[in-house]
Amino acid sequence: MASVLFAVLTFLVRFFRYSLNTLDPWLRYINIRLVSTPSTVEELLEKVRSRFGSLPALASNRDWRERVQNALDALKGKETTPFGRLLAREKLITQIRTLECFETIPRRFSNVLTVPIDRPIFILGLPRTGTTILFHLLVRYPHVAHLNTIRSQLADLRPQDVAQATSIDDLCRRFCTTSKQVKYTFDILLASGCGLPHNIHPASTTFPEECVLVLSNYLFYTNYPYICGEDFTDVVKDYRDLARQAYRFFRRDLQVIKSIGQLSGSRFVLKAPYHSCFIEEILDVFPDASFVRLHRDPVSVVSSSSSFFRAIRAPFSTGDDWKKIGKGCQKMTRCIARELAKETRREAEHTLDFKFEEIAKDPIGVCREIANKVGLEHTKAVEDDLTAFLAEDARKREQAGKHKHTLAEFGLDAEEIRNDCTDYCKKFGV
């Protein structure tokens, strides 16, 4: 019965998406818009205030407001479908509500701020360098904590849940109820073609999730490339102060998630490509952090990233401007590679570098070396678990089909990409 209901709801979402995208352009000719988005930050914040009654403190930050305005402006583009605008609008509102939840819970339960976040392990690198598979492997070690979609979606807590909770345990129980709703909604969206293609990047509410889900709330990088098709990142331009503030909040957010998400692990493994641009800011907040950096030929990175973003943008896009996607990925790669190539003021407690070929050839050997360096317990039971996971992952990827891509289909030039990343290639030998 449950599977039938799920199939019906999935069909309805697909039908709704198709109908909305088909009808809206025609109705606009007679000044009827089925999906509208606020034009200004003030309009959006007023919508949030009227819905929830209050705003997060970050709403007064000038840089953050500029990022929100950039996101709203991007949604006006002709390439964005009505369904894409609808999802993006609701996502923005959810992000603002989430910020308030992260602020309110520590005020309500001050002991949350005493939860330790000791010796976190950050996985860094350009996109498509093996960071995801390494992430999935490291979180299988004992005493390791990680984020996932359910634990990160605090916005689905109702305001009265936080206000009425009598203890952290009571809040955890309330959160478990909303988590079930999050999972059901997320799974329906994935099944209706609004999520990631599984042969490129697996997605699930219970899978280990990148920090992007939490960091995107602070909007210090562009986080709607799959919807609006704009430049993928201007991640380091003029936003250092906002990044410093965001990472200070990020530590608090991890304390909140660890408290109400009932995480058993004592050390976080954290992963997102954008961490690579903020090594100094991370060390300011997490001075005992360890970094694991993965490296790959930038030409392969740009080609694979372009194919990846083309796949996840397909349900939201009205056109096939793949060259624009390619140039956006080239810009993103250049930006992150430039930051990785810089010399930092100080080193992390441990910094380990591996090439894509190393983790592709011997992922368990790489994990063993990392564990020995950063103090994770690598036992035979762990190794057997990693072996079983890799076998199952290989089976799923073979079943889903190979991820094929070339530079030519995105209008890209290999020599130009390497010239963009000369310092990075020399420093890491790729």
Side-chain angles (χ1 to χ4, degrees):
M1 182 63 185
S3 60
V4 173
L5 179 60
F6 184 86
V8 170
L9 290 173
T10 298
F11 170 78
L12 290 176
V13 172
R14 287 181 174 177
F15 180 76
F16 175 68
R17 186 183 74 198
Y18 174 79
S19 302
L20 193 61
N21 291 342
T22 303
L23 290 174
D24 188 77
W26 292 100
L27 292 176
R28 273 192 289 176
Y29 284 112
I30 55 175
N31 294 321
I32 297 176
R33 301 208 63 169
L34 296 178
V35 179
S36 61
T37 55
S39 298
T40 66
V41 178
E42 286 72 22
E43 289 180 33
L44 179 67
L45 293 180
E46 182 56 39
K47 186 180 288 289
V48 174
R49 186 185 289 108
S50 63
R51 186 181 295 187
F52 301 114
S54 58
L55 293 173
L58 198 66
S60 61
N61 182 287
R62 183 184 64 185
D63 285 342
W64 181 82
R65 292 171 73 93
E66 181 181 339
R67 303 303 291 131
V68 175
Q69 188 61 59
N70 289 349
L72 291 174
D73 292 342
L75 292 178
K76 298 175 185 176
K78 293 181 180 179
E79 291 184 355
T80 311
T81 63
F83 186 74
R85 285 196 301 273
L86 176 64
L87 288 187
R89 182 191 70 193
E90 292 307 308
K91 178 61 176 174
L92 269 174
I93 292 173
T94 298
Q95 285 174 322
I96 296 170
R97 171 67 186 132
T98 302
L99 289 177
E100 188 179 22
C101 272
F102 277 126
E103 291 175 9
T104 303
I105 291 172
R107 286 200 299 264
R108 184 83 171 78
F109 306 103
S110 59
N111 58 328
V112 165
L113 298 180
T114 65
V115 173
I117 307 294
D118 295 328
R119 298 185 298 151
I121 302 163
F122 286 83
I123 299 176
L124 311 180
L126 295 168
R128 316 301 299 156
T129 55
T131 54
T132 298
I133 189 67
L134 179 61
F135 182 44
H136 280 252
L137 291 171
L138 290 183
V139 300
R140 304 184 79 82
Y141 278 79
H143 314 302
V144 162
H146 62 84
L147 301 177
N148 67 31
T149 305
I150 286 179
R151 289 171 178 145
S152 303
Q153 294 300 295
L154 295 185
D156 292 272
L157 277 172
R158 298 171 302 170
Q160 57 265 40
D161 287 330
V162 180
Q164 295 173 3
T166 57
S167 65
I168 283 292
D169 288 340
D170 185 23
L171 187 60
C172 288
R173 286 191 291 272
R174 295 169 185 266
F175 181 61
C176 287
T177 301
T178 61
S179 295
K180 295 174 183 177
Q181 299 167 0
V182 174
K183 183 181 187 309
Y184 206 62
T185 303
F186 188 85
D187 288 344
I188 288 172
L189 286 174
L190 280 179
S192 60
C194 305
L196 303 178
H198 285 260
N199 63 328
I200 301 178
H201 191 119
S204 165
T205 46
T206 54
F207 276 16
E209 178 57 62
E210 296 187 15
C211 304
V212 168
L213 205 62
V214 177
L215 287 171
S216 64
N217 297 324
Y218 300 101
L219 290 171
F220 69 88
Y221 58 84
T222 302
N223 66 325
Y224 295 123
Y226 55 94
I227 292 177
C228 62
E230 296 299 312
D231 285 336
F232 289 110
T233 182
D234 52 6
V235 67
V236 295
K237 183 182 178 182
D238 301 327
Y239 293 106
R240 287 291 177 186
D241 288 339
L242 180 57
R244 288 189 187 94
Q245 187 173 5
Y247 274 104
R248 287 197 297 270
F249 288 151
F250 180 53
R251 185 184 184 97
R252 176 205 63 195
D253 299 349
L254 293 178
Q255 291 174 310
V256 172
I257 292 169
K258 197 171 180 180
S259 297
I260 72 167
Q262 298 177 309
L263 303 183
S264 57
S266 58
R267 295 179 66 181
F268 270 103
V269 174
L270 302 165
K271 181 252 177 180
Y274 301 101
H275 286 318
S276 304
C277 294
F278 300 104
I279 291 174
E280 296 286 0
E281 287 76 11
I282 290 172
L283 288 174
D284 284 342
V285 178
F286 303 97
D288 57 353
S290 296
F291 294 148
V292 180
R293 301 185 296 196
L294 300 186
H295 308 289
R296 188 182 187 183
D297 177 6
V299 174
S300 298
V301 167
V302 174
S303 177
S304 183
S305 297
S306 299
S307 179
F308 172 71
F309 280 111
R310 173 176 62 184
I312 59 177
R313 262 196 63 210
F316 305 99
S317 178
T318 56
D320 296 334
D321 190 359
W322 305 144
K323 290 185 178 180
K324 186 172 182 179
I325 287 180
K327 288 300 180 185
C329 286
Q330 183 175 350
K331 176 183 176 183
M332 174 180 65
T333 301
R334 177 174 67 243
C335 173
I336 299 176
R338 183 182 68 234
E339 294 300 313
L340 284 169
K342 286 181 178 178
E343 296 298 327
T344 58
R345 293 186 276 118
R346 60 192 188 279
E347 287 295 323
E349 183 179 4
H350 298 287
T351 301
L352 297 92
D353 291 286
F354 299 93
K355 293 181 181 179
F356 173 78
E357 292 77 14
E358 292 179 84
I359 192 166
K361 182 179 179 181
D362 185 16
I364 293 180
V366 169
C367 288
R368 188 185 304 113
E369 183 175 346
I370 294 170
N372 291 336
K373 289 285 186 179
V374 304
L376 297 179
E377 186 180 359
H378 188 93
T379 63
K380 185 180 185 304
V382 169
E383 192 151 323
D384 289 345
D385 186 34
L386 299 184
T387 302
F389 171 81
L390 288 167
E392 178 63 14
D393 182 68
R395 185 192 67 78
K396 288 180 179 178
R397 289 178 183 274
E398 183 178 356
Q399 190 177 42
K402 192 172 181 182
H403 174 207
K404 298 179 180 180
H405 48 87
T406 64
L407 289 177
E409 58 192 307
F410 298 100
L412 297 168
D413 179 75
E415 185 176 357
E416 182 182 340
I417 293 170
R418 288 199 179 92
N419 288 339
D420 281 347
C421 305
T422 301
D423 292 341
Y424 170 82
C425 292
K426 286 182 179 178
K427 181 173 181 177
F428 299 110
V430 291

